[in-house]
Amino acid sequence: MKKFRVPSKDEVINILNWGGYRLILTVPAIGLYTLRQMSRLALHITSESERYYHQFVLQPFDALVWGDYQNVIEAEVVELGTVNLFDFSRLKTEPDAFPHLRIIGKSGQGKTVLARYLLHLLGGNQYVITTKKKPTDWIGLPVYGAPFKYDECEEWLNKSLELMYSNYQLLEKGLTPEFTNIAVDEWRSQQKNIDSAKETMKELISQARDAKVRILAIATGEQVGIWGLEGESDLEECFTTIRLGEFAIEHARRIKAPKSVLTWLEKQKRPCMVDRYPAEIPDLSSFQPSAQPALLEPSFQSEKTAETIAQTGLQRFGNEENEVLSEAEMLLYKAFKAFPGSESDFIKQVWGASRYQIGKAELAALKAKAEG
């Protein structure tokens, strides 16, 4: 059995020193813990007080006094959040506001189907210049350049330019040619493989607006290089740009469109922006395009024909009784004689399909006057 031993003086001092150090280290920890618990209690009391205040004071007061005002605020929020969609019919009814169109989207996003729908909507004379197409593309329309016939693409780009010039001659004499809508697909491939394509397209973009010739161009991107507009990006302003998919969403963000527009676009299966406006693409799964009248050849189609007419100048035609034509009649008669297509095609080109019978009668009278 161990006997009790009185600690020595040094042992007592060591024990007291250890306890003092321990006390010095423990007291601040106890104080911090106490402060944290008191803070939690204060936060809980404040939170519960705020909840009771809102539930039993503010909410009854709002319902009693501010109910009608709150309804007005909510109505304004709904109105401000409304998305105004672009009406595609404006492309036909307001041609001066939308002189040329371009559709931008990734492969497989329905650019060709949408373009065919827009051509159906626009009406008028129509044809397509492209380097490739699937059997289901461009139903009912004459297609030039496929597959990869770059010479044919170049030929019809030049014919489109000649059509523009001939239309201006008709307009100068008070005649109104029918609108011609030209779809130019696979534009990136064309402008890379046809030397004259860029300049021809620039001329059409900048000059064809008043000649009733509209370009509908299609490509997979909107960089200036793809469109061959390096150094002349101002020509982009001649286009109304229809962006599909991610291009539409990114464009909305870039122009800082309202949040309601961006939210609406992100919910769409097929997002679409027409310049600054969101648009809803109709369901085209059952769209069956009808055949449009084909423009077989533009009038004044060759340089030789144009040169011959220019050299003839204001020479008048007349019958045996010396009855002469006016300058406007003379120009129209020359255009008729130079036109390589049928008489029916010429009437549709000059008077339009809707005024076919009137054009037929006027052309017959012109022929009788010129030929006797």
Side-chain angles (χ1 to χ4, degrees), residues 140-337:
L141 293 178
V143 179
Y144 304 102
F148 301 104
K149 299 175 183 176
Y150 291 110
D151 289 343
E152 188 171 282
C153 288
E154 182 176 21
E155 176 188 358
W156 278 88
L157 285 171
N158 291 332
K159 287 182 178 180
S160 301
L161 196 61
E162 291 165 5
L163 173 65
M164 179 190 78
Y165 293 144
S166 66
N167 281 359
Y168 270 121
Q169 294 186 49
L170 294 174
L171 288 168
E172 285 180 1
K173 301 304 179 180
L175 301 171
T176 304
E178 189 173 6
F179 234 110
T180 299
N181 297 290
I182 307 167
V184 182
D185 197 3
E186 301 294 338
W187 173 240
R188 182 175 187 177
S189 175
Q190 292 194 50
Q191 64 99 2
K192 287 180 64 177
N193 292 281
I194 302 173
D195 293 337
S196 64
K198 290 183 182 180
E199 295 305 318
T200 301
M201 182 63 79
K202 288 177 184 178
E203 188 75 7
L204 287 168
I205 293 171
S206 60
Q207 302 293 337
R209 173 177 181 171
D210 295 328
K212 297 189 177 298
V213 176
R214 179 193 280 125
I215 300 298
L216 196 165
I218 306 167
T220 55
E222 57 182 311
Q223 295 88 348
V224 173
I226 291 178
W227 294 92
L229 301 178
E230 299 91 337
E232 299 183 68
S233 57
D234 57 305
L235 290 177
E236 291 184 277
E237 298 178 3
C238 298
F239 279 111
T240 293
T241 303
I242 303 172
R243 296 175 172 87
L244 305 178
E246 295 178 9
F247 287 103
I249 296 175
E250 288 302 317
H251 180 67
R253 290 173 179 160
R254 186 166 57 249
I255 65 174
K256 298 181 180 179
K259 185 177 180 180
S260 57
V261 171
L262 190 58
T263 301
W264 182 85
L265 284 171
E266 291 174 342
K267 292 181 179 179
Q268 298 303 302
K269 184 178 180 181
R270 294 174 293 174
C272 177
M273 287 282 286
V274 181
D275 282 345
R276 301 183 63 87
Y277 301 98
E280 185 173 22
I281 301 176
D283 182 8
L284 302 176
S285 58
S286 58
F287 171 61
Q288 296 292 334
S290 58
Q292 298 291 331
L295 179 63
L296 298 181
E297 294 281 345
S299 56
F300 301 113
Q301 58 173 327
S302 67
E303 294 181 4
K304 183 177 180 180
T305 303
E307 182 180 356
T308 301
I309 294 174
Q311 291 174 351
T312 304
L314 298 180
Q315 178 184 349
R316 294 169 179 256
F317 288 88
N319 55 22
E320 294 178 356
E321 298 177 356
N322 203 30
E323 182 181 9
V324 296
L325 304 177
S326 68
E327 291 183 10
E329 290 173 331
M330 175 200 65
L331 180 64
L332 181 60
Y333 184 75
K334 289 178 180 179
F336 168 69
K337 297 298 288 184

Side-chain angles (χ1 to χ4, degrees), residues 76-108:
E76 289 179 352
V77 171
V78 172
E79 182 67 24
L80 291 175
T82 300
V83 177
N84 295 320
L85 301 179
F86 181 82
D87 184 0
F88 282 108
S89 66
R90 293 179 59 195
L91 301 178
K92 180 178 178 66
T93 59
E94 304 174 41
D96 290 339
F98 309 101
H100 301 295
L101 309 173
R102 64 173 178 172
I103 300 177
I104 297 173
K106 293 183 178 180
S107 298

